[in-house]
Amino acid sequence: QRIEDYLADLMVQEMAAGEGFPQFPTPPIVLARTLTGGVVSAIMWWLEHPDTYTAYEMAAHIFTLFFRQPPPINADSPLLRQG
């Protein structure tokens, strides 16, 4: 719960600063709690099913959900080595 609270608070701060979030008619705290709840739920599911995706794949999926684009990959990225 503390991690979810922290992430939601951070997201609300970023929304207030206009960083990367479009304007929604929903109050920022409601949007933040909805998004962070989904991420925490996905991570909990993955921890119970660790053979489904690697940590790097899960991180890439979550990044893509939030930023609507693949994560940036540099030459040292383990995502490149996964083929």
Side-chain angles (χ1 to χ4, degrees):
Q1 183 66 43
R2 289 186 332 178
I3 292 171
E4 190 173 336
D5 292 343
Y6 170 77
L7 291 173
D9 290 344
L10 183 63
M11 190 175 292
V12 168
Q13 290 172 15
E14 289 180 1
M15 286 181 205
E19 296 179 13
F21 290 93
Q23 294 293 337
F24 287 96
T26 306
I29 190 62
V30 174
L31 179 60
R33 295 303 300 198
T34 301
L35 294 174
T36 57
V39 169
V40 169
S41 177
I43 291 170
M44 296 303 293
W45 168 82
W46 174 70
L47 289 172
E48 294 172 1
H49 303 88
D51 295 331
T52 308
Y53 299 103
T54 68
Y56 296 106
E57 289 170 328
M58 275 303 286
H61 291 312
I62 291 170
F63 182 96
T64 302
L65 284 170
F66 273 93
F67 297 103
R68 296 170 306 282
Q69 64 184 6
I73 299 175
N74 61 39
D76 298 326
S77 175
L79 291 172
L80 288 177
R81 294 191 289 272
Q82 297 203 1

